[in-house]
Amino acid sequence: MITWEIKKILKSKNGRIALILFFILCTSMIFMKPQLEVVSHYKNSVDFWKVFNYRAFHPLMTFIMLIIIINVFSNIYTDEIISTVDNLILSSRNKNKVLYSKLALSIGVPTILYAVYLAAQFIITYIQYGKPINGGLQAIKILDNPFLVKEGYTIYGFILLKIGIILIILTTLGVLASLISFITKNSIQSTSGFLIFIFLGKVITLIKWLPKTVLLIFSKINYVDLIFNFQEFAGVYSGTLKIFNMSLDITNLCMSILIGTLFTGIFLCTITFKKFITR
C-alpha cells in the first residue's frame, strides 16, 4: 500500500511541484555559505563543517520543506474525498492498510527528503571545501555566537543533535498536516487548518496578559520561530524556570513538548482511523 501511495503522490500535480521545489532547494544551496574566517592558507580546518552546518539547517530549507509538506500531506486524504475515491477505500478490505500507510508516509517522506537533502549538501560542500576533518573539535569553532551553546558539544555531536531536532519538527508537521486532512472535507479547509496551527503558537506569544512561563515556552516552541530561527533554539542554553517548585531546563522542557506533540499527533491519527474503519 505504501508503494501505491508513493506512486499516486508522484503522479499528482502536488507531488511534481514538491519534487521541483526540492530540486531547487538542493541546488540553490551551492551559492549559500556563512562568513568564513580568512586564514593564510585560505581554507580553515573546519570550513567544511561550518558551511555544512549552515546549509543543513538553513531557514530556506525548513521553509521549502514546510511548503512541500503542505502540498503533499494537506491533500493526502481530502483529494480522495473530492474524487469520491474515499468511499471505495473505506468499503475495501484493505482500508486499514491504506489509512495507516498514509500515516507512515507522513513520517517517512519528510525523513527521507531531509536525509537526501543532507546527503546532497554533504557532497556539494565536500566538492567545494574538501574532506571534512576535525569534527571532534568543540562546536564553538563553527558558531558565530559560541557563548550561547548549552554544553561542550563536539562538532559531530552538535550537528547530530540538530539533525535529530529537525527530524522531530518535520515529521510532526507531516503527521499533523495529515491529521487535519483526515478531519476536513476539502483542500482549502485542510490547508487553512494547518496554517492556523503553524501560526497559533506565534500568536499566543503576542497575548501579553498570559503568564510569563507560558509566553516563554511558546516563544521557543512556536513553529514560526522554529522554522525561521532554528539556530537560536537547537543546543542553545535558554535558562531555567520553576514549575511546582521544580527547576526545569527550558530547552529540555521545550524538546519534551515537541516530542509529545509528535506522539499526540500519531495517537489522534489512529483514533481518527478507527472512526473511519468502523463506519
Side-chain angles (χ1 to χ4, degrees), residues 64-101:
I64 291 184
M65 288 292 283
L66 174 64
I67 294 175
I68 291 173
I69 288 170
I70 291 173
N71 255 331
V72 175
F73 297 108
S74 288
N75 300 288
I76 199 168
Y77 192 69
T78 52
D79 281 351
E80 292 172 352
I81 294 175
I82 294 171
S83 62
T84 68
V85 177
D86 62 317
N87 294 323
L88 181 62
I89 291 174
L90 295 178
S91 62
S92 71
R93 293 181 180 180
N94 293 320
K95 58 185 177 182
N96 194 21
K97 292 181 180 179
V98 172
L99 292 172
Y100 279 95
S101 66

Side-chain angles (χ1 to χ4, degrees), residues 200-228:
L200 182 61
K202 188 65 175 179
V203 171
I204 289 175
T205 64
L206 303 177
I207 305 175
K208 300 304 181 183
W209 49 263
L210 289 174
K212 290 183 179 180
T213 300
V214 174
L215 292 175
L216 177 60
I217 292 174
F218 274 97
S219 70
K220 298 294 180 183
I221 63 169
N222 74 83
Y223 284 92
V224 173
D225 286 328
L226 285 175
I227 290 168
F228 293 103

Side-chain angles (χ1 to χ4, degrees), residues 84-154:
T84 68
V85 177
D86 62 317
N87 294 323
L88 181 62
I89 291 174
L90 295 178
S91 62
S92 71
R93 293 181 180 180
N94 293 320
K95 58 185 177 182
N96 194 21
K97 292 181 180 179
V98 172
L99 292 172
Y100 279 95
S101 66
K102 294 179 186 296
L103 175 59
L105 283 178
S106 68
I107 298 172
V109 170
T111 301
I112 292 171
L113 283 180
Y114 186 57
V116 173
Y117 172 78
L118 287 178
Q121 299 317 309
F122 190 95
I123 293 170
I124 291 169
T125 309
Y126 179 90
I127 293 171
Q128 292 179 322
Y129 294 92
K131 183 180 178 180
I133 58 174
N134 295 329
L137 295 178
Q138 289 187 323
I140 60 174
K141 296 283 187 180
I142 63 172
L143 301 176
D144 294 328
N145 297 310
F147 300 108
L148 297 179
V149 179
K150 182 181 175 184
E151 297 178 14
Y153 298 107
T154 63

Side-chain angles (χ1 to χ4, degrees), residues 28-29 34 50 84 126 132 134 151 204 210 227 238 253-254 265 271 278:
S28 64
M29 285 295 162
K50 188 165 186 177
T84 68
Y126 179 90
N134 295 329
E151 297 178 14
I204 289 175
L210 289 174
I227 290 168
S238 300
L253 176 61
C254 291
I271 291 177
T278 54

